[in-house]
Amino acid sequence: MDLRSKIPSGPIETAWERHRFDMKLVNPANKRKYTVIVVGTGLAGGAAAATLGELGYNVLCFTYHDSARRAHSIAAQGGINAAKNYQGDGDSIWRLFYDTVKGGDFRSREANVHRLAEISVEIIDQCVAQGVPFAREYGGLLDNRSFGGAQVSRTFYARGQTGQQLLLGAYQALMRQVHAGSVKLFTEHDVLDVIIVDGAAKGIVTRNLRTGRIEPWMGDAVALGTGGYSNVFYLSTNAMKCNTTAIWRAHKRGAGFANPCFTQIHPTCIPVSGDYQSKLTLMSESLRNDGRIWVPASENETRPPGEIPEEERDYYLERMYPAFGNLVPRDLASRRAKDMCDQGRGVGETKLGVYLDFRDAIQRLGRDRIEERYGNLFEMYERITGENPYEVPMRIYPAPHYTMGGLWVDYHLMTTVPGLYAIGEANFSDHGANRLGASALMQGLADGYFILPYTIGDYIGSERPEPVSADHPEARRTVEEVEAHVARLVALDGKRTVDDIHRELGRLVWGNCGMSRNAADLRKAIERIPELREEFWENAAVVGSAGTLNQVLERAGRVADFLELGELMCRDALAREESCGGHFREEHQTPEGEAKRDDENFQHVTVWEHAGEGKAPIEHREPLSFEHVLPSQRSYK
Amino acid sequence: MGANTMKLKLHVWRQESAGAKGGFVTYEADANAHMSFLEMLDVLNERLESSGQEPIAFDHDCREGICGTCGMVIDGRPHGPWERTTVCQLHMREYSDGDEIWIEPWRATAFPVVKDLVVDRTSFDRVLQAGGYISVNTGGAPDANAIPVRKDDAEDAMDAAACIGCGACVAACPNASAMLFTGAKIAHLNRLPQGQPERYRRALDMVLQMEAERFGSCTNHGACENACPKGISIDVIALLNRDWTAGARKAG
Amino acid sequence: MSRVSALYGTSVGKKITMAVSGAIFVLFVLAHWFGNLKVFLGPDAFNHYAEGLREFGEPFLGRGWFLWAFRAGLIGALVVHVWSAWSLTRQSWAARGTKYKKTAPLNMDAASSTMRWGGVVLFLFVTYHILHLTTGTLHPDFVPGDAYHNFVAGFQSVPVSALYVLAMIALGLHLYHGTWSAFQTLGLDGPTALPIRRPLALAIALVVAGGNILFPVAVLTGFVS
Ligand SMILES: Cc1cc2nc3c(=O)[nH]c(=O)nc-3n(C[C@H](O)[C@H](O)[C@H](O)COP(=O)(O)OP(=O)(O)OC[C@H]3O[C@@H](n4cnc5c(N)ncnc54)[C@H](O)[C@@H]3O)c2cc1C
Ligand code: HEM
Ligand code: HEM
Ligand code: SF4
Ligand code: F3S
Ligand code: FES
């Protein structure tokens, strides 16, 4: 596997600038001769499709949603980072770069992260020009808040709906191109495979979710902006339809899968209330700016929170991490919450939860300020739980939220398959082993608006790919394989519902490859998951036909892929004999129970190659080097 | 928990496909007070699936009230009884043992039924394509703080921009009019300095497309505002009318 | 030009013509009511007013010219108003398609939900009203030129008065929603208009409906004879 990262040589501060100059351009007159396929209309896909359309390429854009505006990016609440230093609090591109590399626990590429920090500034300009209604101060200038452990205020936000507003900005730009005819948008088209001809990506195969029609689409380059795979855990904060199918199929066609075990567990989610639970709801991390996290000091506490006196409360984050207190990074906050519950000090009916208390903040700032800051989040919490967080402390518990792992890409965002790109959460991202809050929106938009459109131009400009017809034997073969796969799925007429199997897979991965992992559990899971996979193919119940809208069939296909990815995650977690960021191996921790990295042996990206059905995947490594941010043990004490 | 459980009688609209003739089918459903309304339907659907029957098709995704995918009319109310709440956020503690519930899809010529409770809302996308954007290409935008925006304007724009494109306004409107949805986007953009250059063109073009999609005509009932999960105010309709009139005058 | 007609062919365009014609009606019914108040000043004053309507503008305009111009305006407005109402109503009916099995009252009051049928009632009323008090065709004892007599004699019939009262209630409802609605349609929701829209609509509805109901009542109670 060719894992050359193509990082430009020379000083990192000017690397991207110089590289952009060195990259090939495509003559405007020729651009419309080239077809670019973009899968996904989230921040990454939507921004990329719109920009490529503006540049004059002939763009085909696909989503399984009924509208491009539904992409899961819409759910992002807290905000987006940018090194604007509008607050004059000492922020800079360098500091954002530094924070992101450190926050990622030294498992990301310096050059990529620096580029991301540079571009963050342009993103805000672009979004404001599009009419994204960011929060402002009375002077009319943009407001910022500090977010997710950052010690500067660099987060731009639009109430609690930042992702929605950014996505609508990209969606509107996309709609403009659709209107102009430069982008053809195909909604309710599920991308089920990638067509590879002579080793290069030349197209995709889709299933029309309404008619069941399976057809190929050919192009000169393919970009996957298909989001994250947190739903492998069944319960996550991701939207119900989020899945791994597109990148998993690409993986099986030759794209290396990087760091699949790097998943992020978000500390502030509403706890599970019962086994009918379909998804978990995130409470924006910004709540940790003013809320105080605590559990009862004693295990068998039965009193309602209000009656527990101050001295019998354990504000454990403030106690353990005086410097950062409630604002420690997500992985720490999550793991500590788990510890508290493991010690039996959890709260709520299920005892799987900790308090997030606004009593003091309300006393300090007054109810109105708090309402202004978090009003919509408090409303959402009350709708779901029926409890009023202005009076009773919120109950929160960690939940799967984001996947740092994904398709391996080089500096050009190209996977190990020439002409196949991965952008946004779908690629193994610039966040290393742990993503800082408000950085995914930044990365998605950086990839989509400002990186991919150039790097794809370089590929097309230098390769000058020849058009391939949909009748090409490879295209035909891929279509037939997809047809066979779908036929096999609808034929399943067992007893067990698809969701029930997904639920068990989720419990397996969450239990053994979740917040903390150990070799024994991982080995168990690696044995159990294939058995579950077999049960799926023998005993799953897929009712209805393949010729109409069939939501069970849709889910079945996604679960089938999760059943394969879940195993790879466990293998990856087992292979990485260290703890870093979101990956915590119980065998590798400091006496105080903090993650212990092993930079001698694991300062690399693990890239998995698919070796064929039933064969163990092959492990490859891209070594990482750190010249500007020297690896140090993260300490938030 | 026992005290929290309930048996319900559901009358659900079932329709095989766009052309097909639909009708109500009655189901017994079990629920508990902590469930969301959609989880209650999930449980029913899993029961149907495991007995080889086709589950009820309904669309949904985020289940957080933000993506705008979900939507059904419950006892005559789009998104159900809770104010400013999408159906995915409606919880079963609203109901009690023995309740009878009628569930129908959005009803509008511009939203044809695809299957059961799933309707086709692409007409909304086409209305947006007609002008629901600010025409700037990527790159070369001025510094974000170059144009200050009055906080109030930013807040008003945000109020309108909160629209999730769910279509409940159309479902609720006795005229199946899309004025609230269209007005919300026009208000979002026309209230901002960035939106001024295309202000009037936008209003005229989006209204023309709205007509082409065969939505109804607004008679200022205000039912839309009532059903809107995001509390979009019919002030946006007045704004649409105002900018439309100004635009029409310029065009003439 | 074609673009302009295309624009006014849209529901928003039609609504605006409705609002404008509606506003003309509002002014008319207000003025009309005010003029009719003269009946309380006795036969001469009232007849003189009725006569005045015809002589207005003489000798520059011929007798009745002003009145006819005025009628032309009203008829024009009514044609536009009714035609728009009809085409918008058809558009809206077509837009719903399948009806709901269950409906809930989402903020619709008696006024907003009776605009269409209320309008039809008004149309019928106006037709009857003109045949009754202007042409006398449907008047049992019509004396051309003696508007006062026609007025009093007309309302002495209880069923006729009752019919007027009912019509006025329909009018009140139509105006209550209509006036407010006109503000909304014309985009008048500025800081000055917003707070007065509802109260003004209510006031106009009450004055016109209530005020007009006074006439039949006054006659039946013998207050005017
Ligand atoms: C609740 C929540 C809150 C968050 N808050 C923040 C925040 O405050 N700040 C922050 O920076 N990040 C946040 N994140 C993370 C961030 O929102 C996501 O990482 C980011 O939006 C991903 O964008 P994307 O474009 O890569 O993918 P998505 O937005 O998930 O888009 C994926 C697109 O691909 C399409 N697609 C996928 N598979 C297929 C297929 N097989 N066929 C066809 N189409 C397909 C989908 O239809 C969709 O259009 C949050 C995440 C969650 C879950
Ligand atoms: C009880 C209330 C009313 C009374 C007592 C009343 C009285 C009259 C009288 C006396 C005339 C004849 C004037 C003349 O020909 O010299 C008249 C004409 C007319 N009225 Fe009324 N009216 C009433 C309500 C209304 C209402 C509510 C409307 C409209 C909605 C209306 C519309 C007209 C019209 C259009 C004419 C014809 C004017 C013309 O062209 O000559 N009236 N009315
Ligand atoms: C003669 C007395 C009448 C008056 C004073 C009157 C007044 C008004 C006004 C002010 C409006 C509001 C326009 C808007 O919404 O912007 C209106 C609307 C309407 N009118 Fe009339 N109208 C009258 C007669 C009629 C007649 C005869 C009809 C038709 C049969 C009619 C049918 C309607 C309808 C359907 C509406 C639309 C509802 C609405 O827009 O809210 N009206 N009318
Ligand atoms: S205006 Fe309200 S009801 Fe209409 S689509 Fe937008 S959010 Fe839904
Ligand atoms: S309910 Fe319908 S009539 Fe107008 S105000 Fe809302 S669109
Ligand atoms: S499912 Fe997203 S709004 Fe209801």
Side-chain angles (χ1 to χ4, degrees):
Chain A
M1 234 174 204
D2 174 7
L3 296 182
R4 275 171 302 161
S5 60
K6 303 212 188 74
I7 293 171
S9 53
I12 193 168
E13 295 86 342
T14 54
W16 174 236
E17 202 44 54
R18 279 179 287 113
H19 193 64
R20 232 162 60 182
F21 179 76
D22 299 338
M23 281 191 288
K24 285 257 182 329
L25 296 175
V26 181
N27 164 335
N30 290 340
K31 285 208 182 99
R32 70 186 49 76
K33 291 205 215 106
Y34 291 105
T35 299
V36 179
I37 291 175
V38 177
V39 185
T41 61
L43 287 181
T51 306
L52 287 161
E54 290 163 7
L55 290 173
Y57 292 101
N58 170 30
V59 180
L60 307 180
C61 185
F62 298 81
T63 169
Y64 55 61
H65 284 106
D66 69 325
S67 164
R69 67 182 292 152
R70 313 262 186 236
H72 173 60
S73 295
I74 202 106
Q77 300 169 344
I80 177 168
N81 287 333
K84 280 282 194 186
N85 192 31
Y86 280 158
Q87 306 308 318
D89 56 2
D91 195 13
S92 64
I93 287 173
W94 191 264
R95 184 180 294 278
L96 176 53
F97 158 63
Y98 178 93
D99 289 354
T100 309
V101 172
K102 178 167 178 261
D105 218 0
F106 306 94
R107 291 296 175 263
S108 54
R109 255 186 230 140
E110 277 189 330
N112 289 54
V113 177
H114 194 280
R115 173 176 66 183
L116 179 61
E118 289 170 50
I119 291 174
S120 70
V121 176
E122 297 175 70
I123 292 173
I124 301 304
D125 299 342
Q126 178 62 27
C127 295
V128 166
Q130 288 174 339
V132 171
F134 284 121
R136 290 180 179 266
E137 287 155 346
Y138 282 101
L141 301 183
L142 290 156
D143 188 18
N144 293 108
R145 59 176 156 201
S146 109
F147 194 74
Q151 278 150 318
V152 291
S153 290
R154 65 159 70 104
T155 303
F156 294 76
Y157 64 102
R159 300 215 180 127
Q161 293 129 269
T162 316
Q164 177 196 28
Q165 293 311 312
L166 293 173
L167 182 66
L168 291 181
Y171 162 70
Q172 287 164 204
L174 181 62
M175 290 297 106
R176 174 171 164 248
Q177 292 311 306
V178 171
H179 191 60
S182 55
V183 174
K184 283 185 207 54
L185 178 64
F186 301 87
T187 56
E188 289 177 279
H189 278 62
D190 209 359
V191 173
L192 296 183
D193 216 331
V194 179
I195 297 171
I196 296 176
V197 178
D198 307 333
K202 288 296 176 190
I204 56 170
V205 179
T206 62
R207 176 172 179 271
N208 181 319
L209 294 179
R210 256 196 235 173
T211 64
R213 180 143 193 268
I214 291 168
E215 57 193 324
W217 303 87
M218 308 308 286
D220 300 294
V222 177
L224 303 178
T226 55
Y229 52 85
S230 296
N231 278 348
V232 67
F233 293 100
Y234 185 71
L235 285 180
S236 85
T237 63
N238 285 17
M240 304 292 286
K241 295 178 180 177
C242 291
N243 69 88
T244 189
T245 293
I247 58 172
W248 188 252
R249 296 313 172 84
H251 171 58
K252 292 174 87 172
R253 296 273 174 208
F257 205 119
N259 301 334
C261 81
F262 284 176
T263 54
Q264 178 165 80
I265 311 301
H266 197 291
T268 53
C269 304
I270 301 177
V272 177
S273 69
D275 50 13
Y276 46 78
Q277 187 103 17
S278 59
K279 92 171 279 272
L280 295 169
T281 302
L282 175 88
M283 292 278 104
S284 168
E285 182 157 44
S286 57
L287 291 167
R288 283 201 280 150
N289 293 349
D290 290 307
R292 296 181 67 197
I293 295 174
W294 63 277
V295 292
S298 81
E299 273 125 70
N300 30 43
E301 180 58 70
T302 53
R303 287 168 294 179
E307 293 169 21
I308 302 177
E310 206 54 24
E311 59 279 9
E312 292 176 47
R313 301 174 170 202
D314 178 7
Y315 295 91
Y316 57 91
L317 288 177
E318 297 170 22
R319 171 168 58 82
M320 297 170 161
Y321 308 99
F324 282 69
N326 295 298
L327 292 179
V328 292
R330 292 173 174 178
D331 52 329
L332 287 184
S334 297
R335 215 146 48 229
R336 293 297 154 256
K338 180 177 186 295
D339 298 346
M340 294 303 134
C341 297
D342 292 350
Q343 293 170 22
R345 295 201 277 150
V347 300
E349 259 181 31
T350 58
K351 288 273 177 197
L352 285 176
V354 300
Y355 289 126
L356 176 61
D357 200 336
F358 286 83
R359 185 194 59 188
D360 301 355
I362 290 170
Q363 272 163 14
R364 192 171 75 255
L365 305 160
R367 190 190 155 119
D368 297 352
R369 282 296 272 130
I370 295 300
E371 188 158 359
E372 188 183 310
R373 284 185 197 171
Y374 311 112
N376 58 331
L377 296 171
F378 279 35
E379 258 180 57
M380 171 150 76
Y381 181 86
E382 183 165 8
R383 264 197 220 99
I384 291 171
T385 61
E387 295 171 358
N388 173 354
Y390 293 100
E391 270 122 47
V392 242
M394 285 184 176
R395 285 175 297 109
I396 56 166
Y397 196 67
H401 174 61
Y402 181 88
T403 53
M404 283 76 69
L407 291 186
W408 181 89
V409 290
D410 63 16
Y411 192 71
H412 284 198
L413 305 181
M414 187 157 91
T415 67
T416 53
V417 175
L420 180 65
Y421 293 76
I423 53 179
E425 193 173 341
N427 66 23
F428 98 102
S429 58
D430 306 345
H431 308 295
N434 173 55
R435 174 175 71 81
L436 292 179
S439 298
L441 299 180
M442 172 172 71
Q443 180 231 336
L445 289 178
D447 291 0
Y449 282 132
F450 295 105
I451 303 173
L452 186 77
Y454 292 102
T455 56
I456 273 201
D458 182 63
Y459 172 76
I460 289 175
S462 42
E463 300 290 320
R464 307 200 170 287
E466 286 301 318
V468 176
S469 130
D471 301 329
H472 187 288
E474 274 309 312
R476 283 244 193 73
R477 211 188 90 236
T478 317
V479 171
E480 280 156 16
E481 283 172 11
V482 170
E483 283 166 346
H485 181 73
V486 172
R488 199 172 155 219
L489 284 165
V490 274
L492 294 172
D493 60 354
K495 288 275 143 287
R496 201 168 166 194
T497 65
V498 169
D499 289 351
D500 196 47
I501 295 174
H502 192 181
R503 223 174 269 126
E504 181 174 347
L505 173 68
R507 275 194 299 271
L508 269 170
V509 185
W510 178 239
N512 303 305
C513 196
M515 265 186 286
S516 75
R517 305 141 178 203
N518 65 59
D521 289 353
L522 289 165
R523 288 210 181 79
K524 258 206 339 272
I526 293 170
E527 275 183 23
R528 177 65 189 123
I529 293 173
E531 293 166 8
L532 189 60
R533 205 157 54 220
E534 268 178 33
E535 179 175 3
F536 173 88
W537 287 110
E538 277 153 21
N539 194 27
V542 179
V543 291
S545 79
T548 61
L549 179 72
N550 183 339
Q551 295 170 322
V552 186
L553 177 58
E554 286 170 38
R555 288 204 297 279
R558 291 163 190 166
V559 172
D561 293 331
F562 278 136
L563 281 163
E564 297 178 357
L565 168 67
E567 182 185 341
L568 187 68
M569 286 169 67
C570 296
R571 288 181 182 278
D572 187 47
L574 187 60
R576 189 168 280 276
E577 286 286 349
E578 66 163 350
S579 293
C580 60
H583 169 66
F584 186 77
R585 280 288 299 269
E586 287 151 16
E587 303 92 328
H588 307 285
Q589 50 182 309
T590 65
E592 315 84 57
E594 301 299 344
K596 196 142 127 281
R597 277 202 330 265
D598 175 351
D599 293 337
E600 270 77 80
N601 306 306
F602 291 94
Q603 201 175 88
H604 61 251
V605 179
T606 314
V607 188
W608 297 92
E609 177 181 358
H610 181 71
E613 299 298 340
K615 296 210 194 68
I618 305 156
E619 180 185 351
H620 302 267
R621 296 178 171 191
E622 179 204 345
L624 295 167
S625 64
F626 294 87
E627 287 142 32
H628 305 87
V629 189
L630 298 186
S632 60
Q633 203 60 7
R634 280 193 320 172
S635 168
Y636 292 88
K637 290 212 176 286
Chain B
M1 285 302 253
N4 287 329
T5 59
M6 57 187 95
K7 279 209 173 300
L8 304 160
K9 182 180 250 175
L10 309 181
H11 306 282
V12 185
W13 180 266
R14 299 300 307 262
Q15 182 174 333
E16 181 50 40
S17 63
K21 172 161 185 334
F24 286 92
V25 178
T26 304
Y27 299 94
E28 298 284 336
D30 303 294
N32 94 42
H34 296 296
M35 288 179 172
S36 74
F37 193 88
L38 297 188
E39 282 165 347
M40 180 271 292
L41 291 178
D42 291 340
V43 171
L44 171 58
N45 273 346
E46 278 201 66
R47 207 184 70 214
L48 293 174
E49 284 167 44
S50 44
S51 65
Q53 302 173 57
E54 269 210 55
I56 301 158
F58 62 90
D59 212 354
H60 62 88
D61 197 20
C62 74
R63 295 204 175 187
E64 280 183 24
I66 192 72
C67 73
T69 311
C70 65
M72 52 188 81
V73 175
I74 302 174
D75 293 328
R77 294 185 170 276
H79 287 304
W82 287 5
E83 285 201 352
R84 281 169 163 261
T85 307
T86 53
V87 63
C88 59
Q89 295 259 284
L90 173 62
H91 277 63
M92 294 310 290
R93 61 179 177 278
E94 166 71 18
Y95 296 92
S96 43
D97 194 35
D99 282 356
E100 210 168 312
I101 307 173
W102 290 82
I103 307 174
E104 306 175 63
W106 287 172
R107 294 290 187 201
T109 309
F111 290 167
V113 171
V114 173
K115 185 172 189 170
D116 297 346
L117 303 172
V118 181
V119 299
D120 177 344
R121 286 167 294 193
T122 45
S123 46
F124 268 6
D125 286 331
R126 289 187 294 271
V127 169
L128 245 110
Q129 285 160 21
Y133 43 75
I134 290 170
S135 301
V136 289
N137 287 353
T138 304
D143 180 87
N145 262 347
I147 340 142
V149 181
R150 284 179 55 242
K151 188 178 172 65
D152 299 359
D153 295 343
E155 293 293 321
D156 293 350
M158 180 63 214
D159 287 339
C163 166
I164 58 174
C166 63
C169 44
V170 175
C173 174
N175 304 315
S177 162
M179 286 289 271
L180 196 66
F181 168 79
T182 309
K185 185 46 63 190
I186 288 173
H188 160 211
L189 299 174
N190 288 11
R191 280 168 174 168
L192 291 170
Q194 299 90 314
Q196 296 314 306
E198 298 166 290
R199 176 172 188 168
Y200 302 110
R201 218 207 84 241
R202 176 177 297 119
L204 297 180
D205 293 348
M206 289 180 77
V207 166
L208 280 174
Q209 188 58 37
M210 199 175 77
E211 298 292 302
E213 300 295 342
R214 299 175 56 225
F215 286 103
S217 120
C218 173
T219 52
N220 301 316
H221 274 295
C224 50
E225 173 182 73
N226 248 277
C228 174
K230 297 296 147 182
I232 307 288
S233 148
I234 54 172
D235 295 356
V236 303
I237 295 177
L239 184 144
L240 183 164
N241 288 326
R242 188 163 62 246
D243 285 359
W244 187 93
T245 316
R249 233 186 274 114
K250 289 184 170 46
Chain C
M1 194 55 225
S2 65
R3 175 155 171 92
V4 177
S5 51
L7 291 176
Y8 280 90
T10 64
S11 62
V12 176
K14 289 176 192 156
K15 279 288 304 199
I16 285 168
T17 52
M18 272 205 96
V20 172
S21 52
I24 293 173
F25 292 142
V26 174
L27 296 178
F28 169 77
V29 287
L30 280 171
H32 188 54
W33 166 72
F34 191 74
N36 289 338
L37 281 177
K38 287 213 161 40
V39 351
F40 293 111
L41 304 179
D44 306 344
F46 191 68
N47 286 340
H48 180 268
Y49 150 73
E51 190 58 17
L53 289 175
R54 289 158 175 73
E55 285 166 357
F56 192 92
E58 283 187 31
F60 309 104
L61 303 171
R63 176 183 168 80
W65 287 17
F66 162 76
L67 186 58
W68 275 111
F70 174 81
R71 288 172 174 169
L74 277 182
I75 293 165
L78 191 64
V79 169
V80 170
H81 194 82
V82 175
W83 176 78
S84 316
W86 170 238
S87 64
L88 289 180
T89 302
R90 276 178 50 241
Q91 176 180 355
S92 294
W93 285 347
R96 169 61 74 224
T98 318
K99 302 260 170 308
Y100 286 111
K101 165 93 176 157
K102 279 254 184 282
T103 53
L106 292 150
N107 186 53
M108 263 107 68
D109 52 28
S112 74
S113 36
T114 53
M115 284 310 278
R116 289 168 185 146
W117 295 118
V120 174
V121 169
L122 287 171
F123 184 75
L124 298 175
F125 163 78
V126 175
T127 321
Y128 165 78
H129 176 61
I130 291 171
L131 297 172
H132 181 234
L133 288 178
T134 308
T135 65
T137 325
L138 295 179
H139 199 291
D141 158 27
F142 190 75
V143 182
D146 189 348
Y148 186 82
H149 162 83
N150 299 337
F151 181 107
V152 177
F155 286 129
Q156 268 158 356
S157 141
V158 175
V160 169
S161 289
L163 190 137
Y164 268 80
V165 172
L166 292 180
M168 292 310 111
I169 292 169
L171 180 62
L173 286 173
H174 197 85
L175 287 182
Y176 173 66
H177 181 70
T179 310
W180 176 83
S181 177
F183 274 95
Q184 183 75 357
T185 300
L186 296 173
L188 303 173
D189 69 338
T192 40
L194 204 51
I196 62 163
R197 300 195 305 188
R198 276 284 171 209
L200 189 71
L202 183 61
I204 291 180
L206 288 177
V207 169
V208 173
N212 279 336
I213 287 172
L214 278 183
F215 301 118
V217 172
V219 171
L220 287 178
T221 55
F223 184 77
V224 170
S225 59

